[in-house]
Amino acid sequence: MDRNRDKNKNKNQSTDSLDIYAAKLNYIGTSLSTLGDGIQTIAAGLALEALLNKIQMIKQNKI
């Protein structure tokens, strides 16, 4: 009787550990994704600024 209880307890602990591991991986993945989005936003801003500077230089040369 005690053996069955111990087996069930070990199964539950194993499942809990797997759930915690999966949650940690999800957290890490989401954090990396958020960081990547931030870097993308900065890159888009820099590209926009470069285009605006290029247009301004073209206008100055035509005048």
Side-chain angles (χ1 to χ4, degrees):
M1 185 87 167
D2 287 335
R3 285 185 179 175
N4 287 336
R5 187 183 304 161
D6 289 342
K7 284 182 184 179
N8 288 337
K9 186 177 179 182
N10 287 340
K11 278 186 179 179
N12 288 339
Q13 286 177 346
S14 177
T15 303
D16 290 346
S17 295
L18 185 58
D19 289 342
I20 291 170
Y21 183 69
K24 285 180 180 180
L25 283 177
N26 187 25
Y27 176 74
I28 292 169
T30 302
S31 298
L32 291 174
S33 178
T34 301
L35 179 62
D37 288 343
I39 292 170
Q40 252 184 322
T41 302
I42 292 168
L46 291 173
L48 178 60
E49 188 176 336
L51 287 173
L52 291 173
N53 287 340
K54 185 176 180 179
I55 290 170
Q56 187 177 19
M57 288 176 69
I58 290 171
K59 286 183 179 178
Q60 286 176 353
N61 287 336
K62 286 189 176 180
I63 296 177

